[in-house]
Amino acid sequence: MRMPRRTLPLAALCLAAVAFAQIGDKAGEPQVQLVPDNQIPPSPALTPQQQLKTFQIAKGFQISLVASDPQVGDPVAAQFGPDGRLWVVEMQGYMPDLDGTTEDQPHGRVVVLEDKDGDGVFETSTVFLDKVVMPRAIALHRDGVLVGAPPHLWFCRDTNGDGKADEKTEIATDFGVRVDPSRPQLANPERAPNALLWGHDNWLYVGAYTARFKFKDGRWVRGLSNFRGQWGLSQDDFGHLFHNSNSDQMRADVIPSSYLNRNPNLGRTTGLNWKVAKEQFVWPIRVNPGINRGYRPEMLREFKLKEFTAACAPWIYRADLFPADAYGNAFVCEPAGNLIKRNVVKSEGGALVATPYYDQTEFLASTDERFRPVNLLTGPDGALYVIDLYRGVIQHRISLTTYLREQIVKRGLDKPLALGRVWRIAPEGAVVAPAKKLSAMSPAELVAELASGNSWRRETAQRLLVEAAPDAALDAALVALAKDSASPMGRVHALWTLEGRGAVKTEAVLAGMAHADPRVRAAAIRVSEALMASPDRDAILARWTELAATEDATEVQQQLALSLGEAKSPAADLVGAVLITRASEVAFIQDAFLSGLEGREIDLFEAVLKKPAAYPKTLPAALLRCVFSTRKPAQVEKALAIIAALPLKSQQLTLLGSLATHPTVTAKRPVKLAAEPASLAKLSKSKDAAMVKALAWFKSTVVWPGKPGVVVPVVKPLTNEEQALFDNGKQTFAGLCAACHQPTGKGLDGLAPPLADSEWVNGDPERIIKVVMHGLRGPIKVKGLSYSYDMPAAGFLSDEQIAGVLTYIRREWDHEASPVPLDLVQKIRAETKGRTDAWTEAELQKTK
């Protein structure tokens, strides 16, 4: 059947031919409106009562208004206080017009909403902090509030009781980059740090940031972490951190980054930033022409958004107000599609897997284009609260296309501003009943709250008890709860509260390790690491050893593999090797084990090869790769000697071949030895073709003085001028590059390739100068692996900044490449002046 021809308005046709004027435009890409004007309903700003009628919510649930403008405007994040008040971050100032002209002005605020009459509606709003530039994150702590507003993370207090902050202590100065309307590429509000979350382990985690924080002994401690997600952060009962990016609705750290960061020799692992949700389909109930790439046919299904394009704020619901099958479900916001998705999250073989709860429909959807759910949180009552930014424009100018700008102007989506709503979702028929305030509770009552069925109450009680003064009676009550509570999560939080108070007791963790619930056992094992330096170390290790031989729960097996590395002993390493043999099918368990072996890999390699049949076939090769990655001549020579002494040639070939095919090793620079190893000469006597081939590769990875045809290079020290470039480049890297490529240079799976040992970084400097100036359009192969990666241009950096950051990455992480001279950067900028498109791998390969 012939389809009727669709006539597009003249403005849409002309749009494809206009000169590209927006940062988000891609050269040569036509931008033709796909949704006919007559199918696009009006999108006026509605009153909350009108908006309520636009919602379609899943059967069995109800939604009600708890706060709205003018009490709150442009809300983006919120936290409930122990007294039940709601602290809200208002990003007033975000995109005040389509050019973001005054975003650098201090229009942002933090307000406190209060329900004084107990009717479930916050009728009172008090400004706690104002005159802030683009605030975006909040967390309560002690008698104050942590507020993130790039580039600052502040701890704000009200010292005189008037309800307003009068003291600000700076915790971090690299909390993103402050916006500058004249240089929009410098600071991308869509990828700045956000989502402050107190983890079960008493660390404060941050979304889209590479550090975590803890308050200990009267001061803030900063720890290394990994960049995770784009907007939003949550956790489950095991403490797994969940995050996402705009087109990828859910990822998680199955293995905590604090463990994986222990061993720089490990290389790339998938246990961090694991893709939990494979399916990205969404099912809006209105047409969606107002999305940034709405001119691309693949973005729409029947004129409605087809897949996530603005996924944010993944929230794991863990309370007892919703039906029991909702516990542990993940709710994900899609503000561009005006909806919230519900997923079921399960553990399968140690990995996390999410699937949609509903078939081709959503938990909550709206026909109101201005409904912008951007954050979720569980309340003191167990309800799910929705932070609704309620505005027409959510796309920042740094990515705005000409198409979307025309949509906004034509349909008047840029006004009004400073609106906002907070919604409460509860089971149908649920009555609003004010929850008892934790702020009014005694320590004994707070201990009881650790066993609440509501995660907000458990976690808030833990935070308050960790912040409380030393008290032996309180610690004793926590030990009793950890040993005797009927609530598994009560035991988990009692254990972590003891850890946060520096009062971990052997009897508590041993009881936890004997509990029937794997959540308790996993927490007890991890908390017991605090006793490795205590007189009870042997008792803890004995229990770990018993569990290694008997434990069947995958999450507990993973935790055991991680914790055994904290013992830092050959005996514990062998126990770990036995464990991963039993649990060889558990996802990530070998990497979990290897993460704790830094510096001891060679010893375990030797021990395992004495009884190779007793351990996983993959373990010796994995250990060998770690040894080789150290680039330490003595360890490399010892490994080769061990291989040469093996009785079977097949074993030798397997191990040498594993090096030759693994990108963690093949991308490394040659190892400098003092002389030709005797074991290499011994192996070279073989005339076997396979051995000759394997040794040929191995010989190409090592050099020594006098090696035929090889001149061992001498690394020239940096001059004073080059050192200054390096030092300045280090700062530029931390502020602009580390979020994606990581402070370790390892990159981020699914987002950015590694820089450490990258052939692109250590190769021709002209290529990476071009990449920094004009960007890169993937795919690109790095260290033997392909990345579908688009790197934005950073040509706004000065020539000195580019020379500095590239000098830094070519000399950091044991790199020995030459520094990048300023005049070379100036030369490349002049030669490529006028280029507007990003480079491709094929183009860059033609450079020299």
Side-chain angles (χ1 to χ4, degrees), residues 314-357:
W315 188 254
I316 307 298
Y317 179 82
R318 297 177 296 126
D320 50 5
L321 181 65
F322 280 19
D325 70 343
Y327 193 96
N329 284 185
F331 295 82
V332 182
C333 294
E334 173 44 276
N338 322 112
L339 59 86
I340 297 173
K341 177 174 283 292
R342 178 182 177 185
N343 295 281
V344 177
V345 181
K346 295 181 178 179
S347 175
E348 295 184 1
L352 295 169
V353 178
T355 54
Y357 186 89

Side-chain angles (χ1 to χ4, degrees), residues 35 111 132 171 290 320 475 640:
V35 185
V111 299
V132 184
I171 308 302
D320 50 5
D475 294 341
L640 187 62

Side-chain angles (χ1 to χ4, degrees), residues 533-548:
S534 77
D536 291 333
R537 170 188 169 93
D538 290 344
I540 300 301
L541 281 174
R543 184 61 182 137
W544 286 0
T545 302
E546 293 171 2
L547 285 172

